[in-house]
Amino acid sequence: EADIYQTPRYLVIGTGKKITLECSQTMGHDKMYWYQQDPGMELHLIHYSYGVNSTEKGDLSSESTVSRIRTEHFPLTLESARPSHTSQYLCASSEFRRARKAFFGQGTRLTVV
Amino acid sequence: AQKITQTQPGMFVQEKEAVTLDCTYDTSDQSYGLFWYKQPSSGEMIFLIYQGSYDEQNATEGRYSLNFQKARKSANLVISASQLGDSAMYFCAMREGRIQGAQKLVFGQGTRLTINP
């Protein structure tokens, strides 16, 4: 049912590298979100967007940044990856008329070595 | 302060038995929504069921039902006739505020459910 895609699914990268996690949805949803989840733990909201050119920080402070230039695309960037950034990152989207649930992507498991 | 509390880190249930996963929440909003998501080992979050704070009847979706007790601020998930494929992490989540706003969800710590054959 969900048409929201994240790439890559898994990423192992060295400290200091710049990375971009991709998230795209084909449902035309106006609202998009990034959640961070450490293994076996709850999800925490780190970024969200109401629409094009709108980005807000979430409840959990993050060194990552996001952009929303197109409705369907909401990439997350880490300028200089560190081992503390190792986590799973989940992208989600929702729209006003069907705001009863958010659709999640499959997640990106990031490991910084 | 913790807004969503799931007190069962892990549960083990025999196949075909019913199982109840506990969730309590805390909010001062009159309008809010409660969700349950399933997360298999592959990592994606699968929506199971939703209950709005103004919904008078308990939500049901197939084998899933939500036991909503507003005065006690609890929203327990009931899975009837459990199956081996139900083994996963289960998260309770809450959306505060108006539906027109962002779907910002606060999640509980999760319960790992294992179904034994």
Side-chain angles (χ1 to χ4, degrees), chain B residues 94-111:
Chain B
M94 179 173 65
R95 168 191 53 77
E96 291 182 303
R98 295 164 31 177
I99 287 179
Q100 293 90 328
Q103 195 79 336
K104 295 162 62 179
L105 299 176
V106 176
F107 285 83
Q109 310 94 315
T111 296

Side-chain angles (χ1 to χ4, degrees), chain A residues 28-64:
Chain A
H29 288 171
D30 50 356
K31 299 175 183 61
M32 296 188 73
Y33 317 83
W34 277 102
Y35 289 86
Q36 183 176 344
Q37 182 187 27
D38 290 335
M41 304 294 286
E42 65 265 46
L43 284 72
H44 292 284
L45 181 69
I46 52 174
H47 298 284
Y48 63 100
S49 167
Y50 282 101
V52 172
N53 294 326
S54 149
T55 60
E56 302 284 346
K57 290 194 177 293
D59 302 322
L60 180 68
S61 176
S62 173
E63 294 171 342
S64 60

Side-chain angles (χ1 to χ4, degrees), chain B residues 34-91:
Chain B
L34 296 156
F35 301 76
W36 277 93
Y37 280 88
K38 172 184 178 181
Q39 187 178 44
S41 57
S42 52
E44 72 268 33
M45 296 289 283
I46 301 168
F47 168 79
L48 296 178
I49 198 165
Y50 167 85
Q51 180 84 41
S53 58
Y54 293 117
D55 294 342
E56 294 184 352
Q57 293 193 333
N58 287 342
T60 59
E61 293 277 355
R63 293 186 300 115
Y64 305 107
S65 60
L66 199 151
N67 184 1
F68 181 46
Q69 299 188 41
K70 195 170 182 177
R72 296 180 59 188
K73 292 188 175 179
S74 74
N76 298 340
L77 176 71
V78 180
I79 306 175
S80 63
S82 58
Q83 303 170 355
L84 295 178
D86 293 335
S87 294
M89 280 288 284
Y90 288 79
F91 289 96

Side-chain angles (χ1 to χ4, degrees), chain B residues 22-36:
Chain B
D22 295 341
C23 173
T24 58
Y25 61 92
D26 183 31
T27 181
S28 56
D29 279 7
Q30 296 300 310
S31 175
Y32 53 90
L34 296 156
F35 301 76
W36 277 93

Side-chain angles (χ1 to χ4, degrees), chain A residues 50-97:
Chain A
Y50 282 101
V52 172
N53 294 326
S54 149
T55 60
E56 302 284 346
K57 290 194 177 293
D59 302 322
L60 180 68
S61 176
S62 173
E63 294 171 342
S64 60
T65 59
V66 293
S67 62
R68 189 90 184 274
I69 298 173
R70 303 197 315 265
T71 298
E72 63 271 21
H73 195 213
F74 192 41
L76 180 145
T77 298
L78 278 165
E79 290 293 333
S80 179
R82 296 208 301 264
S84 61
H85 297 140
T86 295
S87 191
Q88 171 157 260
Y89 294 84
L90 288 141
C91 181
S93 71
S94 67
E95 64 171 352
F96 164 58
R97 288 178 183 79

